[in-house]
Amino acid sequence: MIKYFEFEKDLEKIDKELLSINSNDNKNINKIESLNDDKQKILKKIYSSLNAWQKVQVARHSSRPHTLDYINYIFKDYLPLHGDKNFSDDSAIIGGFAKIDNISVVVIGTEKGNSMESRIKHNFGMAKPEGYRKAQRLMKLASKFKLPIITFVDTAGAFPGKEAEERGQSESIATSISVSLKVKTPIVSVIIGEGGSGGAIALATADKILMLEHSIYSVISPEGCASILWRNTDFTNKAAETLKLTAQDCLKLKIIDQIIPELSGGAHRFPLDQANIVKKHLISNLLEISKADVNQLVQNRNIKYLNITADI
């Protein structure tokens, strides 16, 4: 059963009515068709006018497809690689070799998990230093074998615990960004849910940054921003608007390169269909940037991020 948001009450009402109707009774066919038409209209109306806080809620939906879902839907011959060759393997970041439409790539992403057991295993997508060092290792492997890199970003941020700080959390994030700027291979990054703080930037430093329509990308969560600026989480909605964290805001500010449209109702309602849309955008962007000279590509990548910081 899908979880409904507060702003989806009319939708929930229709779904409950549809469930209560006997679909095998021919007398109900017209009524079912009418209700389904109403449902599509409501979905379109709601999801074409979401405000910033509503987009935050959609981006965090527990059924929203995560990195592993996109790997299973989009790629074939996925061969996962583990560990940072130094401390341990961090399950918050996953990655390995794979193929997309017969193009060999290295895929890396933050994984939140989709059940309580898997969320604990993946630490809710909050990586520790060993996770970012694993990502660096995979990026360097991709560069060595001249394979394009695809990254999926879905994290509230890097893990803020004491042990992560002791092992050099900030250094590992900074080095991941540095490695991303230097590797001589194309990089395409997709923000599929939450893109939170430096923990997201570590995997979102790319030639092309794509962002799902109802995803978010921000330096801090709305709740964190509200607690700092207003010292009251009652201002979370206002903070979400102020942070300019939506895909539309990020495109306008030239922080991302492209918005991937979502089906009305969000990616969590149509995960396979949404994955097919993401796949098309990934392939078109990979083919586009792969035409460039690799040294020019790296130079353009660095100029791109210098321009972003200059504009800010």
Side-chain angles (χ1 to χ4, degrees), residues 55-291:
K55 283 182 179 284
V56 172
Q57 295 175 73
V58 174
R60 294 173 175 173
H61 196 286
S62 57
S63 298
R64 193 170 176 86
H66 301 308
T67 295
L68 270 174
D69 296 311
Y70 284 110
I71 288 175
N72 291 330
Y73 289 140
I74 294 174
F75 300 88
K76 60 183 181 180
D77 299 334
Y78 173 58
L79 177 65
L81 299 175
H82 300 277
D84 65 345
K85 300 295 183 183
N86 183 29
F87 183 77
S88 72
D89 182 49
D90 185 354
S91 294
I93 291 182
I94 59 172
F97 298 111
K99 283 186 178 180
I100 176 171
D101 201 27
N102 290 320
I103 303 170
S104 294
V105 298
V106 167
V107 59
I108 309 167
T110 44
E111 173 59 37
K112 284 184 172 180
N114 53 17
S115 65
M116 183 52 65
E117 184 180 10
S118 62
R119 285 177 189 132
I120 292 170
K121 175 187 173 182
H122 295 289
N123 201 32
F124 298 86
M126 296 185 292
K128 298 173 183 176
E130 48 272 23
Y132 294 111
R133 291 179 182 129
K134 174 166 67 174
Q136 294 163 33
R137 185 170 74 86
L138 293 178
M139 289 177 193
K140 290 173 183 176
L141 270 176
S143 184
K144 179 180 179 180
F145 295 111
K146 296 181 172 54
L147 299 175
I149 299 168
I150 294 173
T151 69
F152 291 100
V153 178
D154 187 16
T155 179
F159 183 64
K162 179 175 176 283
E163 66 271 32
E165 295 298 334
E166 288 173 344
R167 293 197 294 274
Q169 185 71 292
S170 57
E171 179 276 330
S172 68
I173 291 171
T175 303
S176 289
I177 296 169
S178 177
V179 169
S180 297
L181 290 170
K182 292 175 184 176
V183 289
K184 292 188 175 183
T185 193
I187 309 175
V188 178
S189 182
V190 191
I191 297 165
I192 57 175
E194 284 188 276
S197 195
I201 298 173
L203 294 186
T205 304
D207 300 299
K208 291 284 185 179
I209 306 172
L210 318 180
M211 192 169 171
L212 263 65
E213 185 179 356
H214 304 313
S215 292
I216 58 170
Y217 192 22
S218 176
V219 69
I220 192 172
S221 69
E223 296 91 338
C225 177
S227 65
I228 291 171
L229 294 184
W230 291 280
R231 300 185 185 279
N232 192 330
T233 53
D234 290 343
F235 289 89
T236 296
N237 288 28
K238 185 175 180 180
E241 294 288 345
T242 305
L243 284 167
K244 304 296 180 187
L245 44 62
T246 69
Q248 293 74 19
D249 290 326
C250 290
L251 184 64
K252 188 176 179 181
L253 293 168
K254 298 179 181 179
I255 292 169
I256 65 168
D257 300 290
Q258 194 176 94
I259 296 174
I260 300 176
E262 290 191 38
L263 296 164
S264 294
H268 57 282
R269 279 192 169 85
F270 314 99
L272 182 55
D273 292 331
Q274 189 63 55
N276 289 329
I277 295 171
V278 171
K279 182 179 180 178
K280 288 176 184 176
H281 282 77
L282 282 173
I283 291 170
S284 64
N285 278 276
L286 272 179
L287 293 175
E288 179 190 337
I289 60 177
S290 294
K291 294 174 184 175

Side-chain angles (χ1 to χ4, degrees), residues 20-61:
S20 68
I21 296 173
N22 182 2
S23 58
N24 294 320
D25 189 341
N26 291 331
K27 296 177 183 178
N28 294 324
I29 290 174
N30 289 336
K31 187 174 183 180
I32 290 170
E33 287 180 354
S34 176
L35 285 170
N36 278 320
D37 286 342
D38 290 343
K39 179 179 176 178
Q40 290 307 313
K41 288 174 185 176
I42 291 171
L43 277 172
K44 189 173 181 181
K45 181 180 178 182
I46 291 172
Y47 280 82
S48 63
S49 58
L50 295 174
N51 62 37
W53 176 242
Q54 288 169 340
K55 283 182 179 284
V56 172
Q57 295 175 73
V58 174
R60 294 173 175 173
H61 196 286

Side-chain angles (χ1 to χ4, degrees), residues 206-209 257 300-308:
D207 300 299
K208 291 284 185 179
I209 306 172
D257 300 290
N300 291 344
R301 193 186 304 154
N302 281 266
I303 290 170
K304 172 183 179 176
Y305 281 90
L306 285 170
N307 288 339
I308 289 174

